[in-house]
């Protein structure tokens, strides 16, 4: 894993829990790398034993200069994994698919036809939007602290709303996806937006933040009767997809999730 030295501190435990299922033939480690050093860092890693690299902030966009990206990574505008094919680097993004896999696995329902509210407009949000749009939601509304960033992401039929309209935008069976970094440790007492006291029936709340799991925002949704999806599943499943792409092994998610939760305690 290359990127900010403070990001995704738990990824090695998560990955080793996957490699243990394949006879522990692989090893995963983190290295702090700034964007200006990415090219040199990748060159140092290349060798007969290298399978691939995970990327995190702030390298997900600059990576386009160093690889041939998949169609999905290009649509999202971010790369979170690279594969060395012996000659050059291939770039891909497994974040959106990881979130969708976790949604299906944990909630056992579908997105098509639901109204979807998305909080945020950063890199993770772009991956989520790409996947959600493919599921044909009934409508899509974005909220962001900097509304112009959200407006820049809009596609036909979608709109940006003000935080003050959040309660009014909730609808029966809607899906609310929290993609901002608000509520993340050590600011776990903050919420991106307050829930109204009572919710329409069948609301689903998903928070990408996984430390803590669940976040305060997700706990408040649960107390009001919403079904919830924490960020651990997305972290696990983006790794499952990356590992499958690198090794051909499709690891079981349950031991990976257990290792992640143990590392978060
Ligand atoms: P990013 O590109 O930096 O975007 C950050 C987003 O959070 C922006 O919408 C930003 O709003 C908003 N934000 C930040 N601080 C805020 C504040 N104090 N008040 C209101 N809004 C605020 O980050 P990212 O890569 O999208 O990541 C966002 C979160 O998703 C992080 O917590 C990350 O850990 C999590 N994530 C989880 C997974 C997973 O596997 N579970 C994967 C990827 C990311 P502005 O546009 O106004 O700045």
């Amino acid at each position: 894993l290359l990127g900010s030295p403070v990001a995704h501190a738990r990824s090695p435990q998560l990955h080793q829990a996957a490699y243990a299922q394949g006879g522990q033939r692989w090893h995963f480690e983190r290295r702090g790398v700034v964007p200006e050093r990415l090219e040199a860092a990748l060159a140092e890693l290349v060798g007969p034993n290298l399978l691939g690299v995970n990327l995190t902030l702030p390298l997900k966009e600059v990576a386009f200069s160093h690889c041939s990206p998949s169609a999905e990574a290009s649509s999202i505008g971010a790369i979170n994994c690279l594969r060395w094919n012996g000659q050059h680097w291939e770039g891909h993004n497994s974040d959106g698919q990881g979130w969708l896999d976790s949604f299906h696995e944990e909630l056992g329902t579908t997105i098509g036809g639901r109204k979807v509210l998305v909080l945020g407009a950063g890199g993770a949000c772009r991956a989520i939007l790409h996947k959600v749009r493919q599921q044909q939601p009934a409508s899509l509304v974005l909220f962001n602290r900097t509304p112009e960033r959200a407006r820049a992401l809009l596609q036909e039929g979608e709109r940006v709303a003000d935080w003050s309209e959040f309660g009014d935008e909730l609808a029966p069976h809607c899906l609310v996806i929290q993609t901002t970094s608000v509520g993340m440790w050590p600011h776990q007492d903050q919420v991106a937006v307050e829930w109204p006291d009572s919710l329409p029936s069948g609301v689903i709340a998903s928070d990408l933040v996984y430390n803590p799991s669940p976040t305060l925002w997700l706990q408040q949704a649960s107390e009001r009767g919403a079904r919830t999806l924490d960020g651990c599943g997305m972290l696990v499943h983006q790794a499952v997809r990356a590992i499958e792409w690198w090794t051909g092994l499709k690891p079981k998610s349950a031991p990976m999730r257990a290792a992640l939760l143990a590392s978060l305690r």
Side-chain angles (χ1 to χ4, degrees):
L1 172 75
L2 304 183
S4 158
V6 294
H8 297 303
R10 278 83 186 179
S11 284
Q13 290 93 319
L14 175 67
H15 277 258
Q16 291 312 140
Y19 304 149
Q21 301 173 39
Q24 208 65 272
R25 276 178 287 153
W26 300 285
H27 174 73
F28 185 91
E29 60 183 55
R30 294 166 66 217
R31 295 194 189 166
V33 174
V34 293
E36 304 73 51
R37 278 271 307 147
L38 179 58
E39 187 169 10
L42 290 176
E44 284 163 20
L45 286 171
V46 163
N49 293 324
L50 177 78
L51 283 176
V53 170
N54 248 175
L55 297 175
T56 187
L57 290 174
L59 305 177
K60 290 185 174 186
E61 283 153 26
V62 69
F64 280 94
S65 317
H66 307 291
C67 69
S68 32
S70 66
E72 178 140 348
S74 298
S75 300
I76 294 168
I79 289 168
N80 80 325
C81 44
L82 294 170
R83 177 168 70 181
W84 178 249
N85 68 8
Q87 280 161 346
H88 68 272
W89 292 98
E90 299 166 319
H92 189 44
N93 191 310
S94 63
D95 278 337
Q97 186 61 52
W99 175 81
L100 189 64
D101 289 345
S102 124
F103 183 93
H104 287 146
E105 182 181 84
E106 293 179 47
L107 299 177
T109 184
T110 51
I111 294 170
R114 291 181 194 271
K115 179 175 184 179
V116 179
L117 313 186
V118 179
L119 320 183
C125 177
R126 289 204 306 269
I128 295 297
L129 287 177
H130 179 73
K131 274 296 154 195
V132 166
R133 285 171 180 142
Q134 290 176 346
Q135 309 306 306
Q136 292 165 333
S139 58
L140 209 155
V141 185
L142 284 170
F143 299 77
N144 194 43
R145 174 178 63 179
T146 314
E148 48 275 26
R149 270 188 96 191
R151 259 178 230 116
L153 302 180
L154 289 181
Q155 292 190 358
E156 203 182 331
E158 302 170 357
R159 61 196 163 82
V160 172
D162 189 80
W163 293 111
S164 62
E165 299 164 309
F166 178 70
D168 293 335
E169 289 288 355
L170 293 169
H173 306 288
C174 72
L175 165 63
V176 189
I177 313 170
Q178 199 306 98
T179 77
T180 79
S181 45
V182 179
M184 198 163 84
W185 185 90
H187 304 293
Q188 63 268 39
D189 54 344
Q190 297 176 5
V191 292
V193 66
E194 297 285 348
W195 294 100
D197 290 339
S198 71
L199 302 184
S201 62
V203 170
I204 298 177
S206 162
D207 198 331
L208 267 51
V209 172
Y210 60 87
N211 188 16
S213 272
T215 57
L216 177 61
W217 183 81
L218 222 44
Q219 284 176 47
Q220 292 175 346
S222 178
E223 285 160 13
R224 287 161 174 76
R227 296 187 73 193
T228 59
L229 181 70
D230 68 34
C232 287
M234 175 178 175
L235 191 65
V236 166
H237 281 281
Q238 63 76 31
V240 167
R241 290 279 176 174
I243 291 165
E244 192 179 4
W245 190 54
W246 294 328
T247 68
L249 172 80
K250 192 169 182 355
K252 291 192 174 63
S253 60
M256 297 169 68
R257 189 178 172 95
L260 174 64
L261 290 176
S263 74
L264 288 172
R265 264 180 224 127

